[in-house]
Amino acid sequence: MSGYDGSSIPLRKPETEPKPDFKALFESGPGLHLLLAPDLKIVAASDSFLRATRKVRDQIIGKTLPQAFPNDLDDPAAGVAWSLRASMQRVLRTRAPDTMATQKYSILPDESEGGASEERYWSGVNYPVFDETGRITFIIHRMEDVTELVRLQRQQAAEEKTSKELRTKATRLEK
């Protein structure tokens, strides 16, 4: 192999190839991910997911989603419990990824912050993970924060409603 200046750079093969630490890779990755067992207990969580949801890894590992996130899963307006359960069941039944509708989550404030919870919106996809025999061993739950998109859509809808009301008033005034 040659260097930038054309000189020869000797290649040295490492004594042993480093083995990737998949747990560390999963946890430190940039995405918002949970790893669930087929019984829907949380097995692992990415650091990004924990920061976004203000959760602590040790407090959610080994729990089901309703146990780990009771405030959202019990909120009928959020629809999270039904949608999540239905999506996971589709993944187990169809053995294919399943995209969830946008869900509302309440992020509880840090105890030091006080105040009210923060309303966030997430779009989720659930992916099956297979072992060498083809059995589903895990489900990867990937979320994307779409809060700003939802807020912009609501703002646009409100502006359109106001515009329509103003047009209606203007038409009445003209008559």
Side-chain angles (χ1 to χ4, degrees):
M1 177 175 185
S2 61
Y4 292 109
D5 62 358
S7 64
S8 179
I9 300 173
L11 291 177
R12 190 169 158 213
K13 188 174 181 180
E15 300 297 321
T16 60
E17 292 292 323
K19 299 216 186 254
D21 180 348
F22 290 107
K23 182 177 187 274
L25 289 168
F26 179 84
E27 289 178 355
S28 65
L32 305 174
H33 294 92
L34 282 178
L35 186 64
L36 303 159
D39 65 358
L40 306 184
K41 286 189 179 168
I42 300 168
V43 176
S46 69
D47 295 339
S48 297
F49 178 90
L50 295 171
R51 278 190 302 277
T53 59
R54 296 186 182 144
K55 293 291 185 176
V56 176
R57 184 173 280 112
D58 293 343
Q59 293 174 347
I60 66 170
I61 300 299
K63 294 183 177 178
T64 62
L65 288 163
Q67 292 168 332
F69 301 93
N71 58 315
D72 290 312
L73 297 174
D74 290 337
D75 179 0
V80 176
W82 178 86
S83 181
L84 198 54
R85 190 175 7 255
S87 178
M88 297 292 181
Q89 288 172 348
R90 281 191 299 273
V91 168
L92 292 169
R93 187 180 67 251
T94 66
R95 305 171 52 79
D98 187 75
T99 301
M100 297 174 55
T102 299
Q103 303 294 316
K104 178 180 85 170
Y105 287 83
S106 298
I107 306 299
L108 298 176
D110 190 342
E111 289 179 13
S112 64
E113 295 173 7
S117 63
E118 179 184 357
E119 189 175 274
R120 306 295 295 176
Y121 291 86
W122 311 92
S123 175
V125 181
N126 298 303
Y127 300 91
V129 177
F130 302 97
D131 67 9
E132 60 279 347
T133 67
R135 185 177 57 111
I136 295 177
T137 53
F138 299 104
I139 297 172
I140 296 175
H141 177 62
R142 181 185 64 82
M143 295 186 343
E144 185 173 343
D145 188 339
V146 294
T147 304
E148 288 308 310
L149 175 64
V150 170
R151 288 180 181 156
L152 287 171
Q153 288 172 336
R154 286 183 175 175
Q155 180 182 352
Q156 182 180 12
E159 289 171 0
E160 287 173 4
K161 180 181 176 190
T162 301
S163 178
K164 182 179 177 183
E165 289 170 355
L166 289 173
R167 282 193 304 272
T168 302
K169 285 181 183 180
T171 301
R172 268 190 274 141
L173 286 173
E174 288 174 0
K175 289 181 182 180

